[in-house]
Amino acid sequence: MNLSELIAPIADDMKAVDAVIRARLDSEVVLIRTIGDYIVGAGGKRMRPAMVLMMAKALGYEGSNHHLLAGVVEFIHTATLLHDDVVDESDLRRGRSTANAVYGNAASVLVGDYLYSRSFEMMVQSGSMPAMAVLSAATTVIAEGEVLQLLNVHDPDVSLDRYLQVVRYKTAKLFEAAAQVGAIVGGATPEQEAAAAAYGRHIGTAFQLIDDVLDYSGGAETLGKNVGDDLREGKPTMPLIRVMEVGTPEQKQLIQDAIRTGEADFAAVAQAIQDTQALEYTRQAAVAEAALARDALACMPVSVHQKSLLEFCSFAVDRDY
């Protein structure tokens, strides 16, 4: 199942969220509108706002507050991408030049700040203190994850546990918050709210691990980013850590040098990853996380939206983009 089929049950809700996003990007400052339009035009999977909508609908929610909060989640995500691309000096995302490549680093950072500020304004407007508590705490954890990742860059001694901590903070936390906020809006019981948070956390972890796999198995056209970017940026990801754990001394040295310098014979690195079955190891770790996400939905009522949440588990690990 592709993503458009997956979100078909909430297609009208997604249009409403797009309307919220466009309306809240409106500003008297022309550059903010310009970069905002550029970002919206880039598309993206919009999985996180979709998760807010699906979780709320799975619990029978019939109002419209979930549209506003889904917009908040997308703004937080987009702000992190704007800042990420500046920190990583990236020039390609989703198959297009990054905002910082087109408009410069200063504009990207400041518009990212604008999106964070706007998201908090929207949280207040939602009138849900529990949702605000979850989302504001998530932004703090995400920032911590960014700093943790910065500390790991060009460090070949990063352990799997340290890497997974970055994944949980930097990527999985917003998925967790999205699902939990959807549950809050939907009037979840404490058990259901905790289950929704666990679902999002495990889906988000699986999603990042598959991104790690795709970084070494896809093309730039498929991924919308440069293949091997993480290696060039000196980021130790699970496939690389796996090679260092089980590879030959020569393979281990190759990966260590690549992480330390950001330079390497990419073909040799790819061969080492293949020889150690590091991509399959990473994929299986993602499958295990998706299974935990699936288990977390057991306390949710059966519905077309709960089915979509279950299908998200398969999409997260089976996708090729």
Side-chain angles (χ1 to χ4, degrees), residues 76-278:
I76 292 171
H77 175 56
T78 304
T80 65
L81 296 186
L82 283 167
H83 290 166
D84 266 0
D85 287 340
V86 172
V87 171
D88 296 339
E89 300 178 6
S90 299
D91 57 11
L92 187 68
R93 182 181 288 277
R94 296 171 180 165
R96 297 204 321 174
S97 296
T98 54
N100 55 297
V102 176
Y103 301 102
N105 288 340
S108 291
V109 169
L110 293 173
V111 172
D113 291 345
Y114 171 85
L115 291 175
Y116 273 128
S117 301
R118 180 66 94 184
S119 70
F120 275 87
E121 185 180 23
M122 291 160 66
M123 284 182 220
V124 172
Q125 186 181 341
S126 77
S128 172
M129 187 60 73
M132 196 187 309
V134 168
L135 290 166
S136 59
T139 59
T140 301
V141 172
I142 292 165
E144 288 176 328
E146 294 283 2
V147 176
L148 283 172
Q149 178 170 271
L150 188 63
L151 293 174
N152 288 350
V153 169
H154 297 301
D155 182 357
D157 296 321
V158 170
S159 66
L160 189 56
D161 284 345
R162 270 176 64 191
Y163 172 65
L164 288 173
Q165 182 183 16
V166 170
V167 171
R168 286 193 299 272
Y169 281 31
K170 186 173 177 288
T171 302
K173 189 63 182 180
L174 191 54
F175 279 91
E176 176 184 332
Q180 188 173 356
V181 164
I184 290 169
V185 172
T189 66
E191 178 193 12
Q192 288 171 330
E193 184 181 336
Y199 168 83
R201 182 167 60 252
H202 292 303
I203 280 283
T205 302
F207 191 83
Q208 180 59 54
L209 295 180
I210 293 300
D211 267 2
D212 290 355
V213 170
L214 293 175
D215 197 41
Y216 294 97
S217 61
E221 315 80 40
T222 306
L223 285 173
K225 62 179 286 191
N226 296 316
V227 173
D229 265 0
D230 289 341
L231 178 62
R232 295 185 184 93
E233 293 162 9
K235 293 179 184 175
T237 56
M238 186 178 281
L240 301 179
I241 293 170
R242 181 61 175 171
V243 174
M244 291 188 289
E245 285 181 342
V246 302
T248 65
E250 293 78 15
Q251 289 170 331
K252 181 176 180 180
Q253 189 65 51
L254 172 70
I255 301 301
Q256 287 178 329
D257 290 344
I259 291 171
R260 192 177 289 114
T261 65
E263 299 175 359
D265 178 347
F266 186 79
V269 170
Q271 189 63 51
I273 289 171
Q274 182 178 337
D275 290 346
T276 56
Q277 298 183 309

